[in-house]
Amino acid sequence: MDILRLHFSVKNSLFQDIIPFWIKNGLDKKNGGIFTCLDRKGEIYSYDKSVWMQGRTAYIFYTLCLQYGIDPYWKEMADSCICFLDKYCIDDSDGRMYFTVTAEGKPLRKRRYIFSESFYTIAHARRYSVTGDKSSLEKARNYYNLMLKIYDNPESDPFKITPKFISSTRETKSLAYPMILLNVTYIMAESDKENESEYKDIAKRLIRDIRKFRHEETGLMLENLLSNDEHFFESATGRIVNPGHSIELSWFLADSAVWLEDPNLLLEAEDIFWKAYNFGKDEKYGGILYFKDLFLKPVEAYEHDMKLWWVHTEALTAAIKFYDYTKKDTYLELFDEVYDYSNKNFADTEYGEWFGYLRRDGLPTEPPCKGHTYKGPFHLIRMLSESERILSKLIKKPFNCDNY
């Protein structure tokens, strides 16, 4: 394997393609924030703004500044998004955050989930790490504590909305909650170092909760459980496996294992990764399928056999991180394999960036898009920057924003 070639490709994609694509096409210089609904050429096809993506974009561009040094264009993007969040994306009536807003910041949708709050939290945590502004750390702490409170006691949620399922009939819980909170906890600990021991205790509790979603016989992670921690296989909802989600979880656990100095957790994370990857791999067309049924029965979600950009970036992030943590060549070989598939199928050599959504056979959906309510400058930049960091150690050539 040519590590120099691989590193050059990753570095070039990150700094010459993906980052410039979003700075050029996404930044809203009039209202602040970012537009993420971009077509193949980078033209805006919807002016509504995703609150998730405001937080994710701020987080990722502050992270770039922290990793490579402050670039004024990166900081402008991050500052614009976080200011837009603070000004427009919080519902003053209860402190919860919106899901989508207009270009000008007027509220459109608000959902029961805590994901807008989670991305807002990590954005402010990273801003504190970059700027030293303690008001950002305070905001991050406040929303982190709010999310934990809602997680521990859903009745405490100030946003009163009809539950997804009628709880008197079937009360369920989702893997997504302890999973995202584990990652947020890890990021908070990186910024709020004086409270690291408290974050470690919370992380250990969340890991215990995450383990309850693992199917003992197959080792696969299920997306949903009953509130009493029991499976409900009589419903398709109780049999959903999202391989990409499980793969993302595996590297969340790996990061935590190294942080918590827990070698057994790292082994567990590796096993979750391989079980998910092998279950989701499409042997016929290549790539990784979106959803599968635990027992290989039909899946309700009609997009179940599509190939999504983020699933493949998570496989790449996991592979390169597991290589960094274990030095097992198998992970580097897998990284090269998935990277090759992704460049052949997702990467657009004509207009830049990656297609968001492919059919099972690897062709883009028509008309193709580069951005969406759920797709923006997050998963791909996170993967490329982590990969560049780790690969640069192999060639002993650290990179910074002054020499790209």
Side-chain angles (χ1 to χ4, degrees):
M1 185 185 304
D2 187 343
I3 300 296
L4 281 171
R5 174 198 59 79
L6 195 58
H7 177 260
F8 177 80
S9 176
V10 166
K11 182 180 72 172
N12 190 66
S13 180
L14 177 62
F15 294 111
Q16 303 301 327
D17 179 8
I18 311 303
I19 292 174
F21 181 93
W22 287 102
I23 290 175
K24 175 184 176 183
N25 299 308
L27 181 62
D28 182 355
K29 290 185 176 289
K30 178 181 178 182
N31 302 294
I34 188 172
F35 295 112
T36 57
C37 293
L38 306 182
D39 68 11
R40 184 183 180 189
K41 295 181 179 180
E43 296 175 356
I44 300 167
Y45 64 85
S46 175
Y47 286 85
D48 294 344
K49 287 175 177 169
S50 163
V51 174
W52 287 18
M53 291 314 309
Q54 308 306 311
R56 283 172 156 180
T57 302
Y59 166 80
I60 209 69
F61 278 90
Y62 283 131
T63 299
L64 289 171
C65 289
L66 197 62
Q67 184 169 333
Y68 296 108
I70 294 176
D71 178 285
Y73 294 104
W74 302 349
K75 191 168 183 298
E76 178 189 14
M77 176 69 91
D79 288 344
S80 182
C81 288
I82 212 161
C83 288
F84 189 86
L85 282 166
D86 283 331
K87 191 172 183 179
Y88 299 116
C89 298
I90 299 171
D91 184 347
D92 291 335
S93 70
D94 60 12
R96 291 294 308 274
M97 300 187 72
Y98 300 115
F99 175 67
T100 53
V101 296
T102 66
E104 300 79 18
K106 295 179 181 179
L108 288 171
R109 290 183 66 193
K110 186 177 173 185
R111 302 177 75 188
R112 62 177 62 84
Y113 312 109
I114 59 171
F115 303 121
S116 291
E117 288 82 0
S118 69
F119 302 127
Y120 177 79
T121 299
I122 62 174
H124 268 295
R126 272 294 188 264
R127 182 177 182 273
Y128 170 71
S129 295
V130 171
T131 68
D133 185 344
K134 290 188 176 181
S135 69
S136 272
L137 181 58
E138 189 65 25
K139 289 174 182 176
R141 283 174 178 161
N142 288 342
Y143 271 87
Y144 178 76
N145 289 332
L146 173 64
M147 289 189 295
L148 278 181
K149 183 179 179 182
I150 293 170
Y151 176 70
D152 288 333
N153 178 19
E155 295 296 321
S156 70
D157 190 345
F159 181 40
K160 305 303 179 184
I161 187 173
T162 302
K164 189 173 183 178
F165 292 99
I166 303 302
S167 58
S168 59
T169 304
R170 179 187 293 156
E171 190 171 5
T172 63
K173 57 185 180 181
S174 169
L175 172 62
Y177 271 39
M179 175 180 161
I180 192 65
L181 284 172
L182 179 63
N183 183 241
V184 174
T185 299
Y186 180 84
I187 293 167
M188 284 296 297
E190 288 183 318
S191 297
D192 189 14
K193 295 186 185 301
E194 66 181 51
N195 292 304
E196 184 178 14
S197 61
E198 179 184 348
Y199 293 120
K200 284 186 173 181
D201 289 340
I202 294 169
K204 291 173 184 176
R205 175 165 66 91
L206 292 168
I207 291 165
R208 289 194 294 270
D209 289 348
I210 286 167
R211 286 184 172 127
K212 297 172 184 176
F213 289 83
R214 198 167 190 199
H215 183 240
E216 186 174 348
E217 293 177 19
T218 63
L220 294 167
M221 301 300 300
L222 292 162
E223 289 295 303
N224 302 291
L225 284 179
L226 295 176
S227 60
N228 62 2
D229 299 331
E230 292 182 359
H231 300 301
F232 57 112
F233 295 146
E234 71 281 3
S235 167
T237 304
R239 302 192 304 268
I240 296 172
V241 177
N242 183 331
H245 215 211
S246 301
I247 288 167
E248 184 179 28
L249 169 63
S250 75
W251 71 258
F252 287 179
L253 291 170
D255 280 352
S256 297
V258 174
W259 173 43
L260 298 171
E261 300 178 319
D262 186 343
N264 290 327
L265 179 59
L266 182 58
L267 291 173
E268 184 179 355
E270 286 189 81
D271 192 52
I272 289 172
F273 170 77
W274 284 115
K275 293 288 197 311
Y277 177 76
N278 289 327
F279 188 67
K281 186 177 181 180
D282 186 347
E283 297 291 350
K284 183 175 182 180
Y285 293 105
I288 304 167
L289 298 165
Y290 193 23
F291 290 117
K292 290 187 76 173
D293 184 278
L294 177 67
F295 301 138
L296 304 182
K297 296 179 183 294
V299 181
E300 284 188 331
Y302 50 79
E303 70 273 27
H304 67 93
D305 64 352
M306 290 174 62
K307 309 291 169 60
L308 273 67
W309 90 100
W310 73 264
V311 173
H312 295 75
T313 63
E314 294 313 299
L316 289 162
T317 302
I320 201 69
K321 278 179 170 284
F322 279 118
Y323 174 76
D324 191 38
Y325 291 146
T326 70
K327 301 300 183 287
K328 295 176 183 177
D329 288 339
T330 310
Y331 290 114
L332 202 55
E333 292 164 3
L334 181 64
F335 179 91
D336 195 42
E337 176 185 326
V338 178
Y339 189 68
D340 182 63
Y341 170 88
S342 299
N343 277 317
K344 287 178 178 176
N345 293 276
F346 285 103
D348 184 354
T349 56
E350 187 173 356
Y351 294 106
E353 241 278 354
W354 281 20
F355 298 114
Y357 305 91
L358 308 180
R359 304 181 325 193
R360 185 183 175 190
D361 61 9
L363 292 176
T365 54
E366 293 290 345
C369 76
K370 298 295 174 56
H372 192 268
T373 301
Y374 300 98
K375 183 184 186 297
F378 180 65
H379 295 92
L380 182 50
I381 293 179
R382 181 170 69 176
M383 178 276 289
L384 290 170
S385 60
E386 275 297 279
S387 301
E388 193 285 320
R389 178 183 66 81
I390 293 166
L391 290 170
S392 70
K393 292 193 295 185
L394 298 181
I395 62 173
K396 297 179 174 60
K397 188 178 180 182
F399 196 73
N400 62 68
C401 67
D402 295 326
N403 58 13
Y404 81 91

